[in-house]
Structures are given as C-alpha cells and as structure tokens.
C-alpha cells in the first residue's frame, strides 16, 4: 500500500489505483476483476457485471435544473450506461433512496418513480430490490445498482486494447455540457429560433441522457476495449489507454462535436466541451482495424454509428492530439468552457457533475 | 398499481408493497424474486444474492457518535448482515462513497478505509468496485453493495415459514439501542463500575455490530425463513410472518434481553429496546419443530446459539405477545424507550436509525 495521508488528494485515478492496490481481489475470488472498470465482473454461468452509481442533491443534481421525473430516468440511464460499457445487457436494478418528507417531497417522489419506472419499463429491466430511508429536508440521495449479463464476446474490459486498435465513439459529444451550462445559468439561452432549438437539444442531452444499450451487443462482438464517456473523452480515453497499457493519438478534426454545442458555444468552446464535457453517455471502443468494417455494419444494424477519432499507440507514447498536422499533449482534465484555449494537460477547476477530476494538483 | 399521491406517507412496508406491485419482476427475468427480501436473488450457476445499503451523515450516523474507522466497519457489517439473512456468504462488495474534502476530511477518509478494509479483510471479502465523488462539507454518504452466494439449502427467503415453525433469534437484543441512547445523550452514562462496563458493551454493540455470517450456513440448511433484525424484532418479525402468510405468537419471557440493556435501561425499558430497538444485527429464523435439535447443534458448532421466542401460527391470527399467560397485540413500530409502557400497535415517532418506520399514521 502506498503511503497515504489523504486519499482524496490523489485525484480520482490515482485514488482508484490506491484502492485497487489496497483491496486487491484475492486468488479464488468469484470476482475476476478488481477495482477500476465500469463494473465488477462476477464469475459464474452466466458471468455477471455489477455496478453502483450514487447521485446526491446539491452535488450531482439540483431540482432547479432537473425535474424529479427526469432525475429518475437519468439515474437509471447512468447506471445502465456502465452495463453497456461492459458489453452487457441489464437484468435488474436495485435502488437505495434517501428522500425528505412533507411539503412538495411527496409529489416529487411520485414523479421520480414515474421517471424511473418509465425508463426501466422501456428497457424491460425489473426493479428487484433496494432500501429506502427518510432524508433530511433538502438532501435527497439515490444509489442505483445495476446487474447485467455480458453479450457473446463480453465482458469487454477497459484493458483489452492493443497498439494499432482504432478508437471510435458512438455519437456526437458536447451537447450535454452545453445543456449543463444553460441549466446553471452560465450560458444565456439564445433568442433566435435555431438557437432555441439547439438549446432544447442540449438541455435534453443533459437532463435525459440515453445509455447506448443497443450498441453493447455489436461492440461486445467486435471491440477489444470499451468504456463509457460519462466523465468525458478527456478523462475516459486516457483511462482506457492506461488500462490497455497503450499510448493514443486523436485527430482533432475527427472528433464529432454535437451541432447543438457548436451553435450554443461556438466552434472553439464546443470542441472543448466535446473533449472535457462528459455526461454524453456515448461509448468509446478500441477496435482492431481489420474488424472495423464488420463493427460498423453491426453497429449500423443496431441503429448506431461509429466515429473513428484516432488509435491506440505503443506504450510510453502518452496521449496526443493531432491538429492540422501538429501534435499537442492530450488536454486531460476537467471542464471549464470559459477558460483560455486548450492548455494541454492542466485540469480545470470546475467539476461539472460531481465526479472528482483528476490531473496534476 | 394502487392510487398513490405520496409514496412516503404509506409507511415503509406499504411503500415496499406498492413498489413491489409497480415493479413486479417479469416472467423470464433473471431475478427470481421481486422487492421485499433482505437481498435480491439472481438465477444462475451458482445463484447469487445482491443487496444495497445506504448510510447518510446526519441521518444514519453522526461523527459525534461514531468515529470514521467504526463507521467503515459498520457499513460493511450492515451490508453483510443482509447477505447472512439470505443464508448466503459474501463474495464481494462495491462502495459508492461521497465524501467532503479539505480540513479533517482527509484523515477521516483514511480512517474510514482502515475500518472498512479491516472488516473486509477479516471476512475475506474483496472490494471489487464502486464510485467516489466529492460531497459538500458535512454531508458524507456511503452506499455499500454486497454480492453473495447461497449456502446449500439457500437462499432462505422471508416467505418460507409455515404455521407451527418455531421462531428463534441468534442472540440477545437491545444493547445497540441502549448504545444509541448513550451516543445521542438521551441516556446518562452510569457512574459505577458495572454500569460503565455495561455502557461500553452497549456502545460497542451500536457502533461496531457484527453480522452473523458464521450462522448463515447452518441456518441455510435448517431454517425455512430468515430475516435480519436490523430494524428490530417489532418490525422484522411481522415482515417475516406476513411474507410467509402466517400469524405469530411470542412469549415475552423468552425474548433474550441483553444484560447491558437491562443494566442501563432497567427491566421494562430494556424489554422495549429488545423488541423495538433494532441495529442488533441478529438473525430471526423460522425452523420446523422437528429440525430444531439439529439446527441447535449446527448453530452451536458454528459458535452461536438459538433462542426460541415463539412460533408462526395460522394465517389471519395476526401477531400476539404472550405475557404471564395473557395475550396482547404485537407491539409493532418504532422505538422510543421513554414513552409510556407498551401501547400495543402504536408506532413511536422517534426514528432511531433512519429507517422509515411503519405502522398506523
């Protein structure tokens, strides 16, 4: 165990590395994988994946920004996204809920369960257990546990990538970050019609994300490594690369920036939102080049698309952003769309969605 | 779905019944059991049980009452108790942690992980995943997920009891409730030596409970129904009986009241604490009379003991307390040791440990 006085001063990734070394899975454990993937993997027939995701009022959400119905849906989709990121399908969800009582809270609880139930029904996933407690007023908290079963070829870990594998994302990025800025009042809603339409799309992307569950099956078959982009490409791509023991290279021009983010933030900030924004719940896959055509066809059949943005490189190369032929270090770290242009490697201070941001401190 | 305006006005058991009807497990689901047991049951080879337990600062604990190290241990034991209550052994734990930063919080985090790690190491259970986020100062929150594998004969549900089965608890009750009263300043610590010893035992029982994991194996073999007493006999026994479709009868004189509770609270209040106190983390089993001798031997070999307190009766009989030959309705409900003598069926207002209390409202 490394010397540690305050585990939270380490940054999330180093903290998780410390946790993983402290709590190494033992030989003979039914869990074949330690800490550090989107979900834990449980041996058995079939194998299972298990994940837990906590959302706290004032930290991950505010009712000024999101209505309870959308919160219920969002809590489900966040957890299911971790299941999709393992190349698995969800089989059941448990909910630990701490909720204030009295006043408006009863109505809010009903709306929360409507959103949650609607999302589960749409996915065909049962709620199978949990725990409810009364919270102090003003401090609602949810923890959603999702259990799933890998598709053939899965579970797909973060660690399976090899140098030369192509890196592909499953959809446009940055809209959720723009939606978050609108919600929090840091971005004024535009007055024109196209702007209002873009604002609507961005708010939906932030408040009502949809896990890419339908792509888990084709990606379990064709991808060697998989991660969801809930923390943003800026953080999640280095995680996949590090777990796979690779460097990586991304071509700036190939990153699919969401049109709504472009419209609301302008080209430069939208690009930054696409890298550092997070909350888009798209998937990032590492796919061997010779598998790409088959992967693209299978993903298209499932109603999705793959956007190749770069590739994994040899170990030791670190991460690089290629822009108009020039190389720059990977702009890892948090999200602040109003700071100066990409300052390679320096993390932002603003923690958009409550996830602890890593980077140099 | 019953009409519902505020699900939280229903009381926990009716709320869970509503949830269970709204979120009924579908045919073909991998989860063979819906909401309403200590853990969800997942089909497979082997079958698995999954549970989640949330603990919020200001609601389930206060750092004035419990040091972070004990909190870490307590969080683990609470979750493992749900696994034991299914007749299962734990295979892994996931932790969702929301923790403030700065000041004393770093030291507290280290101590939390020491307590948590110590408890897991002692049990031989790996920490296999989770989620950490930064909390607002003063609002730490933990959610512990435990996954386990049933022992032969398990999983043991709440619903397997039959009329005539004997009801047995695995240890003395009421000490944790006395410890809670001491922590919260509602009970003055006694000045004499025997009193101080009792206070120490009560505080340990409250702060550092130990799940009855070692009894899960013999009880999986011999018990027909099983539940843990985290909410107290007053609430948990009616739950087991209702799930089993039975009434029940308990002899007051046979309830094992913890000596420390007797010493600190006096006979009458200690008895009430043993029924309504909760947090003792003993198990309650329904055992067919002809299996009792074998069950007692197997439990003794595992280092425990069975205290028979009563029996399940025919459906429709409700719950009864037999005292000096007279019958009284079962004193269900919450825990307030300073209210007038047992007033059958009326729930208390004080929610000792954050669990939502059921009963008439």
């Amino acid at each position: 165990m490394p010397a540690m006085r305050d585990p939270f001063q380490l940054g999330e990734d180093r903290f998780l590395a410390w946790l993983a070394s402290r709590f190494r899975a033992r030989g003979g454990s039914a869990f074949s994988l330690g800490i550090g993937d989107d979900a834990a993997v449980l041996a058995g027939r079939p194998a299972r994946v298990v994940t837990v995701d906590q959302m706290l009022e004032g930290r991950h959400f505010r009712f000024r920004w999101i209505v309870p119905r959308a919160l219920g849906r969002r809590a489900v989709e966040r957890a299911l996204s971790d299941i999709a990121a393992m190349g698995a399908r969800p089989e059941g969800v448990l909910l630990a809920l701490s909720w204030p009582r009295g006043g408006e809270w009863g109505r809010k609880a009903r709306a929360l369960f409507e959103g949650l139930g609607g999302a589960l029904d749409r996915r065909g996933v049962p709620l199978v257990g949990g725990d409810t407690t009364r919270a102090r007023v003003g401090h609602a908290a949810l923890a959603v546990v999702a259990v799933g079963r890998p598709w053939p070829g899965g579970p797909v870990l973060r660690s399976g990538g090899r140098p030369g594998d192509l890196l592909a994302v499953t959809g446009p990025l940055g809209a959720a970050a723009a939606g978050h800025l609108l919600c929090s009042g840091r971005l004024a809603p535009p007055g024109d019609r196209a702007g209002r339409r873009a604002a609507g799309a961005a708010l939906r992307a932030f408040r009502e994300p949809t896990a890419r569950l339908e792509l888990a099956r084709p990606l379990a078959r064709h991808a060697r490594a998989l991660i969801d982009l809930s923390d943003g490409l800026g953080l999640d791509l280095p995680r996949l690369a590090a777990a796979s023991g690779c460097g990586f290279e991304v071509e700036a021009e190939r990153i699919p920036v969401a049109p709504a983010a472009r419209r609301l933030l302008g080209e430069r900030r939208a690009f930054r939102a696409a890298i550092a924004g997070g909350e888009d719940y798209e998937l990032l896959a590492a796919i061997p080049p010779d598998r790409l055509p088959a992967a693209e066809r299978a993903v298209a059949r499932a109603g999705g698309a793959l956007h190749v943005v770069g590739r994994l490189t040899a170990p030791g190369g670190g991460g690089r952003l290629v822009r108009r032929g020039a190389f720059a270090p990977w702009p890892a770290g948090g999200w602040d769309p109003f700071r100066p242009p990409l300052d390679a490697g320096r993390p932002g201070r603003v923690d958009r969605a409550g996830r602890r941001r890593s980077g140099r401190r």
Side-chain angles (χ1 to χ4, degrees), chain A:
Chain A
M1 189 194 324
M4 185 204 57
R5 283 173 58 193
D6 176 356
F8 289 95
Q9 281 172 357
L10 296 173
E12 179 166 27
D13 291 321
R14 285 172 61 207
F15 172 64
L16 289 180
W18 172 81
L19 267 189
S21 76
R22 167 66 182 83
F23 295 100
R24 199 178 300 284
R26 287 137 200 284
S29 164
F31 281 90
S32 57
L33 184 70
I35 288 163
D37 216 302
D38 293 281
V41 178
L42 181 60
R45 293 178 182 205
R48 254 59 189 246
V49 295
V50 186
T51 182
V52 58
D53 191 54
Q54 202 172 26
M55 295 176 74
L56 304 176
E57 187 181 356
R59 185 75 221 147
H60 300 89
F61 64 89
R62 295 174 197 279
F63 286 113
R64 274 186 293 139
W65 301 352
I66 188 166
V67 297
R69 190 188 183 96
L71 176 69
R73 176 187 161 138
R74 194 164 195 275
V76 167
E77 296 291 332
R78 269 171 68 102
L80 297 189
S81 181
D82 283 332
I83 299 295
M86 301 301 287
R89 63 178 186 272
E91 295 184 300
V93 158
L94 290 84
L95 170 71
L97 180 66
S98 182
W99 201 258
R101 302 185 70 186
E104 282 295 279
W105 288 100
R107 188 190 53 74
K108 284 184 181 172
R110 188 181 49 170
L112 176 87
F113 280 106
E114 277 167 10
L116 198 127
L120 289 173
D121 289 349
R122 205 161 32 245
R123 302 300 203 170
V125 178
L127 182 68
V128 295
D131 177 39
T132 58
T133 62
R134 218 182 302 171
R136 296 206 299 189
V137 169
H139 294 97
L142 297 83
V144 178
V145 180
V147 178
R149 173 180 179 158
W151 288 108
V156 188
L157 310 186
R158 296 178 178 183
S159 55
R162 298 288 168 266
D165 284 355
L166 297 172
L167 294 167
V169 299
T170 54
L173 306 174
H180 185 264
L181 289 171
L182 285 167
C183 281
S184 59
R186 286 187 288 158
L187 181 66
D192 64 309
R193 196 166 160 188
R196 283 199 300 275
R197 202 156 38 223
L203 287 171
R204 270 195 307 282
F206 175 63
R207 290 180 178 147
E208 304 190 6
T210 303
R212 286 294 196 184
L213 274 182
E214 75 283 6
L215 305 187
R217 186 175 193 171
L219 290 174
R221 202 164 148 220
H222 296 289
R224 273 212 280 234
L226 203 54
I227 192 171
D228 86 339
L229 295 177
S230 52
D231 282 349
L233 197 62
L235 285 168
D236 289 321
L237 168 49
R239 283 176 185 154
L240 182 146
S244 295
C246 295
F248 63 90
E249 215 170 86
V250 167
E251 291 177 52
E253 287 80 6
R254 303 186 77 167
I255 293 175
V257 180
R262 278 214 167 89
R263 178 71 192 70
L264 293 164
L265 298 172
E267 202 64 39
R268 195 169 52 81
R269 284 178 178 158
F271 178 76
R272 217 151 54 216
I275 288 194
E279 302 292 328
D280 287 307
Y281 297 97
E282 297 292 345
L283 300 172
L284 168 68
I287 301 171
D290 60 346
R291 303 289 294 272
L292 184 69
E296 286 180 325
R297 282 194 303 273
V299 164
R301 274 197 301 274
L306 289 177
H307 307 258
V308 174
V309 297
R311 60 193 184 88
L312 291 176
T313 58
R320 300 199 296 183
L321 187 67
V322 191
R323 194 170 217 169
R324 296 181 209 98
F327 291 98
W330 182 247
W335 152 245
D336 182 355
F338 296 112
R339 74 181 172 191
L342 286 173
D343 47 344
R346 296 293 307 280
R349 306 256 165 238
V350 176
D351 181 330
R352 187 193 26 70
R355 297 284 175 130
R356 296 181 55 250
R357 296 304 181 183
S358 66
R360 295 183 219 136
R361 278 162 207 267

